[in-house]
Amino acid sequence: VEFTEPSYIFTQKEGEVSVRVKAEKDQVAGIVSVHGWPVKGGDQSFDFKKKGEEKTFIFQVEASQENPNATLTAQVEVGGQTATSRLITIKYDHIPQQSVLQPATAHAALLDLKVKAKNVGYYMGAGDDIPTALRQMGCTVKVLEDKDMEDLAKFDAIVVGIRAYNTKDNLKFQQARLLEYVQNGGTLVVQYNTNFELVVD
């Protein structure tokens, strides 16, 4: 059992979290639940026929103002036994495959957050979870492709992903458009890059 996100931001008292349950053997039935903050609707049931089957469950959570920072725990109960672990498989060509059990937890925070940049363009870098975090904050996020760089004025802000200037060769052709967007009053946030092998000077 595992949360689909490592953390959740709540800007209102109620929100949803999603939990993925996967069968590690045939014929598995049980109950999945979330603990840490009150849950509307309670527990949910699952019934898997085959090993490898999985399903994602949505839970409506009520954030607690008395406890605005919480650790949520996902739990499954099967045949009178409970489990609160997620299975991580480490698989690389140069080492033997390893399986590790870690707690099925996610950090949750209730924030008094004012977001002025509602419509955000995101130019992906080497890969990260920032678009998900921006959506949790209440932003509408468009992951930008090169064809989208023609009309940047419609965005309240543009965010360039982690190490994008190290990994995205096309940024050397888009740089002039990004700087023009800033010159016209746009807000551009560039996340970190390493200072070698940059695609622009």
Side-chain angles (χ1 to χ4, degrees):
V1 60
E2 63 182 355
F3 289 98
T4 58
E5 303 295 338
S7 59
Y8 293 92
I9 296 171
F10 289 74
T11 57
Q12 301 175 12
K13 188 165 172 26
E14 292 186 8
E16 62 180 37
V17 299
S18 49
V19 175
R20 186 183 303 113
V21 179
K22 183 176 180 179
E24 291 298 327
K25 63 179 183 178
D26 294 343
Q27 303 299 328
V28 179
I31 302 290
V32 57
S33 56
V34 170
H35 304 273
W37 274 343
V39 176
K40 292 178 75 172
D43 306 345
Q44 299 185 46
S45 61
F46 59 89
D47 187 357
F48 296 135
K49 304 302 181 196
K50 295 287 186 184
K51 178 180 179 178
E53 271 188 75
E54 65 177 60
K55 183 177 178 182
T56 299
F57 298 86
I58 306 298
F59 290 88
Q60 295 296 324
V61 176
E62 294 182 359
S64 167
Q65 291 179 326
E66 294 77 33
N67 181 22
N69 291 290
T71 298
L72 304 180
T73 301
Q75 176 180 299
V76 289
E77 183 176 338
V78 177
Q81 294 186 317
T82 60
T84 56
S85 297
R86 62 189 179 110
L87 179 65
I88 299 172
T89 302
I90 302 167
K91 196 173 183 180
Y92 292 102
D93 292 339
H94 60 283
I95 59 171
Q97 181 173 315
Q98 301 174 58
S99 296
V100 180
L101 289 174
Q102 290 194 338
T105 58
H107 180 73
L110 175 62
L111 302 177
D112 182 14
L113 189 63
K114 304 286 188 290
V115 178
K116 293 182 179 179
K118 295 287 189 184
N119 188 24
V120 177
Y122 193 86
Y123 195 97
M124 188 64 76
D128 56 59
D129 295 327
I130 301 300
T132 300
L134 290 169
R135 288 183 184 106
Q136 287 186 19
M137 291 167 57
C139 300
T140 300
V141 180
K142 165 75 174 163
V143 177
L144 299 174
E145 298 178 27
D146 290 321
K147 63 181 174 57
D148 302 313
M149 302 296 278
E150 300 289 337
D151 183 21
L152 299 179
K154 63 185 177 184
F155 296 107
D156 299 325
I158 295 173
V159 181
V160 179
I162 291 169
R163 294 183 54 244
Y165 282 96
N166 301 123
T167 59
K168 301 294 182 180
D169 284 335
N170 276 353
L171 262 180
K172 61 186 161 195
F173 305 114
Q174 307 301 346
Q175 179 75 346
R177 287 192 177 98
L178 291 171
L179 294 180
E180 181 184 14
Y181 168 76
V182 173
Q183 199 160 19
N184 291 333
T187 299
L188 175 67
V189 178
V190 177
Q191 297 181 84
Y192 82 85
N193 294 271
T194 58
N195 62 357
F196 57 91
E197 297 182 346
L198 292 164
V199 299
V200 296
D201 292 337

